[in-house]
């Protein structure tokens, strides 16, 4: 089963400096049928103006993964971490017992990103932040595990998250076909750009696909595409 969620039907918010699109209930957008997908709680498609960003604010007991699509985001937190994550790269913050952080676009143009929140399978962990580079050129024609807490990925170089889940990404030249073994698990897939076909269902750029009961995903790039895939357990 693949539930196609067109970009036009996502929740919307326009704060001037921030244009946000919500795949799941968030802030003032509430859709009782889109609260979470397994442990996946938030998938926001954000556009942030130059010289603006999210001022310091707190979180606890959440795994927050940021995939930058264009531009870069600069992170600061109360632990003293500071880092710049640019397009194609990923940062992970385990909020754990509690952390306050800020995220700013200090680039000359707008920054676009996916903000992904996953409910952890362990509460009260020590807060942490880290980032890693996943150059899009190196990910051409394949899916690369960028963040994971799955046992099979512990030595893959992926950023660690406290959940039996994984975030994969890749760029697919037009005509490329890749497969992903899902088994009895759930998935959520979003093309950051381009058009793809997933087990016969066509997704345009920034559409979402909530997937269950599909043992294997066959993903075909109908045009040059960049995509992000969450591989998830069924229980939060």
């Amino acid at each position: 089963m693949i539930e196609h969620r067109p970009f036009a039907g996502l929740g919307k918010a326009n704060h001037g400096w921030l244009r946000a699109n919500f795949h799941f209930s968030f802030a003032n957008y509430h859709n009782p049928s889109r609260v979470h997908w397994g442990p996946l709680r938030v998938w926001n498609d954000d556009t942030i103006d130059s010289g603006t960003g999210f001022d310091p604010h707190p979180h606890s007991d959440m795994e927050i993964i940021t995939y930058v699509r264009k531009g870069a985001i600069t992170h600061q937190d109360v632990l003293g971490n500071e880092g710049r994550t640019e397009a194609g790269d990923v940062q992970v913050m385990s909020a754990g017992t509690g952390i306050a952080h800020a995220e700013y676009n200090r680039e000359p143009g707008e920054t676009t990103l996916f903000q992904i929140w996953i409910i952890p399978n362990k509460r009260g962990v020590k807060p942490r932040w880290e980032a890693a580079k996943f150059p899009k050129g190196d990910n051409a024609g394949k899916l690369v595990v960028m963040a994971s807490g799955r046992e099979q990925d512990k030595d893959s170089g992926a950023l660690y998250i406290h959940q039996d889940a994984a975030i994969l990404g890749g760029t697919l030249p037009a005509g490329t076909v890749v497969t992903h073994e899902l088994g009895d698990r759930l998935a959520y897939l979003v093309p950051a750009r381009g058009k793809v076909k997933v087990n016969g269902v066509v997704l345009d750029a920034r559409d979402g696909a909530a997937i269950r009961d599909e043992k294997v995903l066959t993903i075909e790039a109908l045009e040059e595409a960049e995509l992000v895939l969450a591989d998830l357990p069924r229980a939060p």
Side-chain angles (χ1 to χ4, degrees), residues 73-214:
I73 200 76
T74 296
H75 169 95
Q76 298 172 325
D77 64 43
V78 294
L79 302 178
N81 295 310
E82 182 168 348
R84 176 178 176 274
T85 302
E86 61 185 34
D89 298 340
V90 177
Q91 66 176 23
V92 166
M93 187 176 72
S94 296
T97 55
I99 187 172
H101 74 119
E103 308 290 337
Y104 295 116
N105 175 13
R106 293 177 172 161
E107 310 307 307
E110 67 183 22
T111 285
T112 63
L113 54 82
F114 289 148
Q115 182 186 166
I116 300 166
W117 296 14
I118 292 179
I119 301 166
N121 56 12
K122 184 178 182 181
R123 298 174 62 87
V125 301
K126 182 178 179 180
R128 53 181 270 277
W129 173 87
E130 61 179 331
K133 292 186 175 296
F134 296 93
K136 293 179 181 177
D138 294 348
N139 297 349
K142 60 183 177 180
L143 295 177
V144 174
V145 181
M146 301 183 294
S148 179
R150 300 183 305 180
E151 180 66 23
Q152 69 197 66
D153 298 323
K154 69 178 183 177
D155 299 320
S156 70
L159 296 171
Y160 182 73
I161 56 174
H162 294 277
Q163 182 54 268
D164 177 27
I167 302 295
L168 301 90
T171 54
L172 305 181
T176 302
V177 177
V178 296
T179 59
H180 178 73
E181 298 283 341
L182 196 59
D184 294 326
R185 292 164 64 87
L186 305 176
Y188 200 85
L189 187 151
V190 181
R193 57 182 173 86
K195 179 182 291 188
V196 301
K197 184 187 292 185
V198 184
N199 288 13
V201 177
V202 175
L203 306 175
D204 289 312
R206 303 166 77 184
D207 289 357
I211 303 167
R212 69 167 182 251
D213 301 328
E214 302 280 344

Side-chain angles (χ1 to χ4, degrees), residues 9-103:
L10 302 182
K12 310 286 183 185
N14 188 337
H15 300 286
W17 64 274
L18 168 69
R19 277 82 65 202
N21 302 275
F22 308 128
H23 286 261
F24 296 91
S25 296
F26 190 84
N28 292 329
Y29 168 67
H30 181 68
N31 183 333
S33 68
R34 297 184 182 181
V35 176
H36 63 87
W37 193 246
L40 177 60
R41 176 62 190 84
V42 168
W43 192 307
N44 291 353
D45 179 331
D46 291 341
T47 299
I48 305 165
D49 282 347
S50 175
T52 69
F54 300 92
D55 289 327
H57 58 284
H59 294 283
S60 62
D61 289 321
M62 192 66 69
E63 302 295 300
I64 300 176
I65 302 105
T66 304
Y67 177 84
V68 180
R69 296 162 45 212
K70 183 175 74 172
I73 200 76
T74 296
H75 169 95
Q76 298 172 325
D77 64 43
V78 294
L79 302 178
N81 295 310
E82 182 168 348
R84 176 178 176 274
T85 302
E86 61 185 34
D89 298 340
V90 177
Q91 66 176 23
V92 166
M93 187 176 72
S94 296
T97 55
I99 187 172
H101 74 119
E103 308 290 337

